[in-house]
Amino acid sequence: MRLLISACRAPSRLTSTHNVFIKHNYNKREPRMSRKTVLSALGLAGLVCAPAGSEAIAQEWATEEVIVTAQRRGEPLQNVPLTVTVLSGEALLDLGIDTPAKLAAQTPGFKVSTVFGEGTNPTLFMRGVGLLDFGDVTETPVALNLDDVYLGTQAAQAAPIFDVARVEVLKGPQGTLYGRNATGGVINVISARPTSDFEGRFGVQFGSFGQQIYEASASGPLAASARGRVSFRSNRDDGWQRSLTTNQGGFGQADVASVRAQLEVDVSEQSTLLLRTDYARSDGTSVLYPLTGLLKADLVTYCTQNEAAANLCFNSAGERGVRDPRVGLSNIPHLRNEFEFRLGSATYTHDFGGASLTSITAFQSVDKIFEEDADAAALDRGFTSYALDAHQFTQELRLNGGEDDSLKWIVGVYYFSENRSSSVESPPNFATFADQKSKSWAVFSRADYPLSEDITATAGARYTYDSKSIDVVSPGVMSKESRSIHKDSITGTVGLSWRTNEKTLLYSNFSTGYKAGGFNATFVFDPDSIGPVAPETISSFEVGVKSGYYGGRIFLNGSAFAYEYNNVQSIALDTNSNINVTRLVSLGDASIIGLDGDVILRPAEKIRLIVGIGVLKTEIKSTNVQSTPFPPGFVSVNGNPLPMAPDISFNWLAEYNFGLGGGGDLIIQVDGDWRSQFSFSATGADEANERSDGYGLLNASLKWKDPNGHYVIEGFIDNVLDEIYLSFNSNVFADNAAGAWGKPRTWGIRVQADF
């Protein structure tokens, strides 16, 4: 049950639906559009806006305006010549989105694989660009920033989202203003800031599997020139899985507590200092993996790929998997899934009049222990423990200048330093320990210049230098080995945007991105397998449209894009060792073309409809041949699609407000998403166990709001049809595959109040 009481009344609250669409001053008197302009705008919209999850939806469609900082300055979303999806804090609450992994359901072109199951390292994919890796020494091509601070580890990216103003999802390579491995895109989580007036929030939610969620926040003045904000969230349940082998329950348990404190001080009339600290701790348990046998009843002969995927086969102990996400066959009584996240930052801003300076200094640490039963069975061979101790320091300086009707510019410098100590152990025989040090610095600039009243040109560049070193040891097998990387790169963007009228913006961009090389540190027994793996690069050409018609009752947003993706980093199974392990490799090159966009309709005051689509065509172009244990041999990846890249994906939302007059509003909402068949790995096109059939998820809620919008009571059901689906699956052992289930049907009630 989701029971939340929101005590923080924002002056411009965004709706309880997904993305928050923005209007571009629809109350202004506007010139009549020519027939040619209308046909041009609608023609491009038809190409790139085949419906897909909305960019933003304001509660009052004709009066609200969403300001975003996607380009490192505050500006209306509809003026930003980039593909950006925005979700307000209220939308996140109402959709039950509390982790980055859950954003994907309402963001076209964005997919997340939870390789180890819900509550663990999310693996982010934007338009087919991502890195499916089990290791703890790699960085993802889709960058996640919390209040302008880059979260370098996947463990940090699992930290909860709460008490935020909005989340901005930028698609495509961001190699100019965002330079830290953003070949796929950037997710910006922006916390709600301290306020000059008192606000408060308290909430509670109860639901399936004993779930209890509590939230609280308080914000207001501390002195004439100081404001503070404190936020808290706790999420705990009893776990949603049990083992049929031991009859032990409590697997997949959430037990996460998070707190954030902020102090904002006006140092002078021109200067502000914002101090933040974040802390999150999880003491949950890991999920149980589904078992997929690979052997026929004689326990010797291999099944066919399709027989195994249909769960008609057995492992070497004669066990066959159970196709019920709520149960598993592990013989291990308890599996830890624990992490501790700390972040402290200081943001200083100074307005010089013609320019403004922003300095962001941040320290971050992550500790993690994760345990799994990798064979998903009642065998004594699958227990594996992963540990990580990471410390990160970043410093960014930006200087912004210019006016809207003249040259606007940004220049900046960025520094990144990180130390990671990781281990992976499978007692009693196998273990690998690694210490990695990374340093990076960059200088960047960007300028936007109006060529005319309606056309603006953009150009930007970033120089990045990366240095990485690693020490790896596998006791009893391999003594300490050291490797290093030193690499620099220049990336950037050029673009044009055309404001055809007050309601329509057309844009085109050419952008490049770069991701540093990396190492292997997961069960390393051969010095040659450490790496390094070559850096990957990407080039993107994109055209898009942002438009709204009929007084804000129809919105069309979308884009068409083409990528050249080089030296794609990917994991591959290594069957040459005495155990099967995954390796980070350079897969080769790939091409990506696609469309994503959205259509938002408000045919009547009480009705809102949102439909979204993402269309992708990805193809690996490589001579790479990957090994497979089932049956033992090798598989070519040439011509295969990239992992986590369905050809078609939809998301939708339908809402009807009954309107109770003086009794408030009663709102029924149905939302969901669907994707076509996709692969979990580069070889998934040839291995049925490593791909997913198409599936969809349906959610529903009934919500009451009081007339003043201070209180909300909502009942909801997620995964209404109790769809059974896999979030990941892989042929790991010679006799069985294992993966992770998606969560089954859940229900809840939440109450929300603002004061």
Side-chain angles (χ1 to χ4, degrees), residues 42 65 108 165 250 264 268 281 286 291 362 396 421 535 555 592 595 629 641 674:
L42 292 181
E65 184 173 81
E264 187 175 47
S268 68
R281 182 183 179 90
S286 307
L291 167 69
E396 182 166 359
S421 295
F555 291 90
I592 303 173
L595 313 170
W674 176 88

Side-chain angles (χ1 to χ4, degrees), residues 154-474:
Q154 287 178 283
Q157 293 176 359
I161 295 175
F162 69 105
D163 193 31
V164 300
R166 66 189 181 279
V167 173
E168 302 174 3
V169 181
L170 286 65
K171 302 172 189 176
Q174 306 293 324
T176 305
L177 301 179
Y178 302 90
R180 190 65 202 154
N181 296 339
T183 50
V186 170
I187 300 171
N188 291 327
V189 179
I190 297 99
S191 302
R193 292 184 64 160
T195 55
S196 298
D197 299 321
F198 175 76
E199 298 178 351
R201 166 169 291 171
F202 172 75
V204 59
Q205 172 175 315
F206 300 105
S208 301
F209 307 111
Q211 184 186 63
Q212 299 180 42
I213 296 178
Y214 300 93
E215 284 200 40
S217 67
S219 177
L222 301 177
S225 59
R227 300 159 294 283
R229 188 180 193 99
V230 178
S231 314
F232 169 80
R233 188 176 195 269
S234 171
N235 178 10
R236 192 184 189 287
D237 59 41
D238 299 327
W240 56 281
Q241 291 180 312
R242 68 182 178 88
S243 170
L244 295 177
T245 301
T246 64
N247 203 32
Q248 176 74 38
F251 293 95
Q253 179 190 30
D255 187 2
V256 185
S258 310
V259 64
R260 177 182 303 120
Q262 302 180 71
L263 173 64
E264 187 175 47
V265 179
D266 297 327
V267 180
S268 68
E269 290 187 2
Q270 294 80 30
S271 303
T272 301
L273 177 65
L274 177 61
L275 303 176
R276 295 186 181 94
T277 180
D278 281 80
Y279 177 81
R281 182 183 179 90
S282 171
D283 292 304
T285 60
S286 307
V287 298
L288 299 179
Y289 298 159
L291 167 69
T292 302
L294 306 181
L295 305 175
K296 291 183 180 293
D298 62 9
L299 305 186
V300 175
T301 309
Y302 275 109
C303 291
T304 67
Q305 289 279 345
N306 289 334
E307 286 173 337
N311 196 37
L312 300 176
C313 307
F314 305 85
N315 68 2
S316 58
E319 298 172 307
R320 186 163 72 182
V322 180
R323 285 307 180 252
D324 181 351
R326 298 166 182 82
V327 298
L329 299 177
S330 174
N331 63 339
I332 300 174
H334 184 78
L335 295 168
R336 292 187 294 172
N337 179 17
E338 302 172 359
F339 75 85
E340 195 167 16
F341 168 72
R342 307 172 191 86
L343 172 64
S345 67
T347 301
Y348 174 79
T349 59
H350 182 85
D351 186 355
F352 292 102
S356 61
L357 174 70
T358 301
S359 169
I360 304 168
T361 308
F363 297 87
Q364 181 185 149
S365 69
V366 177
D367 294 298
K368 162 192 147 180
I369 296 177
F370 172 79
E371 298 172 344
E372 66 172 350
D373 188 358
D375 64 15
L379 298 172
D380 295 325
R381 66 178 184 183
F383 177 78
T384 308
S385 175
Y386 299 80
L388 173 68
D389 180 15
H391 300 269
Q392 176 185 305
F393 169 78
T394 56
Q395 173 65 57
E396 182 166 359
L397 289 171
R398 296 196 307 266
L399 191 64
N400 292 43
E403 302 291 339
D404 287 341
D405 56 354
S406 62
L407 175 69
K408 291 185 292 187
W409 52 270
I410 299 175
V411 295
V413 296
Y414 179 79
Y415 176 76
F416 168 89
S417 176
E418 182 189 62
N419 296 334
R420 298 192 196 188
S421 295
S422 71
S423 67
V424 54
E425 301 178 76
S426 184
N429 299 318
F430 306 111
T432 295
F433 301 89
D435 289 302
Q436 178 175 277
K437 300 181 186 300
S438 302
K439 293 185 184 298
S440 178
W441 62 268
V443 293
F444 58 92
S445 64
R446 171 176 160 146
D448 299 90
Y449 183 75
L451 301 178
S452 68
E453 186 177 350
D454 302 318
I455 299 176
T456 300
T458 296
R462 187 180 192 105
Y463 172 83
T464 302
Y465 178 81
D466 282 300
S467 173
K468 286 186 178 183
S469 63
I470 193 169
D471 296 327
V472 183
V473 59
S474 296

